Amino acid sequence: MFMLMRRNVVSMIGFIIVIAFLIMGIISPYILTKPEDAWGTTYDVSKRYLPPSLEHPFGTDEYGRDMFNRVILGARFSLIIAIGVVGLALVIGVPLGLIAGYSGGRTGTALMRITDMFLAFPPLLLAIALAATLGRGLENAILALAISWWPWYARLIYVQVNTVKSMPYVDAARVLGLGSFTIMFRHILPNALTPVVIQASLDMGSAVLEAAGLSFLGIGVQPPTPEWGLLVSQGWQSINVAWWISFFPGLAILVTVLGFNLLADFAREFMDPRLRITMMTKEVV
């Protein structure tokens, strides 16, 4: 996989961006040069709205806090949001879709009708309504987005399971007397996960983007948490005075989402046998 990626410049760029984002999210609290500024615990009027410079590469905000350190620390919160939203949506959606697809009948119909009830609402609109109801906070933003996203995974795995469960090896497992739990999680689920993995890769970037949207609207993460969407929102109020406050966290969101999208495109091509053969053929030629 890595050999194919290494020769695909676009995919390699996406891979590097994602790895850099992951590393930054993990180590950011330990590499801060101005931790008080990053966490928003200081206030220095004399440093308000300083433009980008060697001392402050991303300038300072309305409270005189160094934006470079705040953007760096913001990667950690964006990583937490991305993993939390996608992970929770998978935990809810995949088992429900698997059970509905394998069981069929009234059980499958009932589970899919519940899923359809959630799918009837636009995901972002539902997330906004849930976040406004639950209140501001990192955990509430993650929960609101996960609740609005799990039905897509349930529907996706449901369709895949309906295809896979009719395969001969599944019938053979039933003849051998294996239990339903074993058949579902050992024989069906691993062969139905390809589109789910691709969708999850795309949704990592989307989670960062939509969480930023919630914070920008004032119903996401609470200040002074340096989440990228909140930083963009705070900088927007003074965009005519200090453009850099919104620009750099916005650029971080753009690059991160682009990286996940590029990597997801490669994952889709690699996991599709026909596309993978085409890629390998091109490499040989």
Side-chain angles (χ1 to χ4, degrees), residues 79-90:
L79 177 61
I80 292 172
I81 289 170
I83 294 176
V85 170
V86 175
L88 186 55
L90 286 171

Side-chain angles (χ1 to χ4, degrees), residues 165-223:
K165 74 176 183 179
S166 60
M167 294 294 180
Y169 63 83
V170 177
D171 293 332
R174 293 195 188 98
V175 172
L176 290 173
L178 298 180
S180 296
F181 184 87
T182 302
I183 293 174
M184 282 192 296
F185 287 92
R186 181 175 294 180
H187 297 283
I188 294 180
L189 183 59
N191 293 289
L193 279 179
T194 297
V196 176
V197 172
I198 296 170
Q199 188 62 43
S201 301
L202 284 169
D203 286 346
M204 291 285 284
S206 298
V208 174
L209 185 61
E210 294 203 6
L214 294 180
S215 298
F216 185 84
L217 295 174
I219 54 177
V221 178
Q222 296 187 55

Side-chain angles (χ1 to χ4, degrees), residues 13-36:
I13 291 173
F15 177 76
I16 292 172
I17 291 173
V18 170
I19 292 299
F21 170 68
L22 295 176
I23 294 175
M24 189 64 65
I26 294 171
I27 69 172
S28 58
Y30 312 106
I31 60 173
L32 300 172
T33 58
K34 298 179 174 63
E36 296 82 6

Side-chain angles (χ1 to χ4, degrees), residues 21 73-83 208 227-229 253:
F21 170 68
L73 184 59
R76 184 176 187 86
F77 293 98
S78 294
L79 177 61
I80 292 172
I81 289 170
I83 294 176
V208 174
E227 193 270 330
W228 287 339
I253 295 171

Side-chain angles (χ1 to χ4, degrees), residues 125-136 140 144 214 218-220:
L125 182 61
L126 180 59
I128 291 174
L130 290 171
T133 302
L134 295 172
R136 300 184 69 175
N140 290 341
L214 294 180
I219 54 177

Side-chain angles (χ1 to χ4, degrees), residues 47-281:
K47 294 184 178 180
R48 293 182 67 209
Y49 298 134
L50 293 180
S53 62
L54 291 177
E55 183 180 1
H56 304 285
F58 291 175
T60 62
D61 62 9
E62 67 272 24
Y63 297 108
R65 298 174 300 203
D66 182 72
M67 284 299 300
F68 178 76
N69 280 267
R70 287 179 66 75
V71 171
I72 292 296
L73 184 59
R76 184 176 187 86
F77 293 98
S78 294
L79 177 61
I80 292 172
I81 289 170
I83 294 176
V85 170
V86 175
L88 186 55
L90 286 171
V91 167
I92 299 172
V94 170
L96 289 179
L98 178 61
I99 294 171
Y102 183 78
S103 301
R106 293 183 178 179
T107 301
T109 301
L111 290 174
M112 284 299 100
R113 294 298 78 77
I114 294 172
T115 301
D116 290 340
M117 289 172 57
F118 283 88
L119 289 174
F121 297 92
L124 183 57
L125 182 61
L126 180 59
I128 291 174
L130 290 171
T133 302
L134 295 172
R136 300 184 69 175
L138 181 64
E139 297 83 1
N140 290 341
I142 292 173
L143 183 59
L145 288 170
I147 291 176
S148 67
W149 280 6
W150 73 262
W152 300 96
Y153 291 108
R155 174 61 70 179
L156 189 59
I157 201 72
Y158 173 78
V159 173
Q160 290 297 115
V161 169
N162 273 317
T163 302
V164 174
K165 74 176 183 179
S166 60
M167 294 294 180
Y169 63 83
V170 177
D171 293 332
R174 293 195 188 98
V175 172
L176 290 173
L178 298 180
S180 296
F181 184 87
T182 302
I183 293 174
M184 282 192 296
F185 287 92
R186 181 175 294 180
H187 297 283
I188 294 180
L189 183 59
N191 293 289
L193 279 179
T194 297
V196 176
V197 172
I198 296 170
Q199 188 62 43
S201 301
L202 284 169
D203 286 346
M204 291 285 284
S206 298
V208 174
L209 185 61
E210 294 203 6
L214 294 180
S215 298
F216 185 84
L217 295 174
I219 54 177
V221 178
Q222 296 187 55
T225 305
E227 193 270 330
W228 287 339
L230 184 60
L231 295 179
V232 173
S233 177
Q234 292 174 339
W236 183 254
Q237 301 171 10
S238 53
I239 190 69
N240 293 326
V241 178
W243 56 267
W244 52 86
I245 300 177
S246 290
F247 176 78
F248 289 109
L251 182 62
I253 295 171
L254 172 65
V255 172
T256 301
V257 174
L258 177 63
F260 276 110
N261 288 346
L262 294 177
L263 190 60
D265 285 342
F266 175 79
R268 178 183 61 82
E269 294 177 357
F270 182 80
M271 290 185 168
D272 188 317
R274 291 170 298 180
L275 293 175
R276 183 167 66 248
I277 292 173
T278 302
M279 292 169 62
M280 295 177 68
T281 303

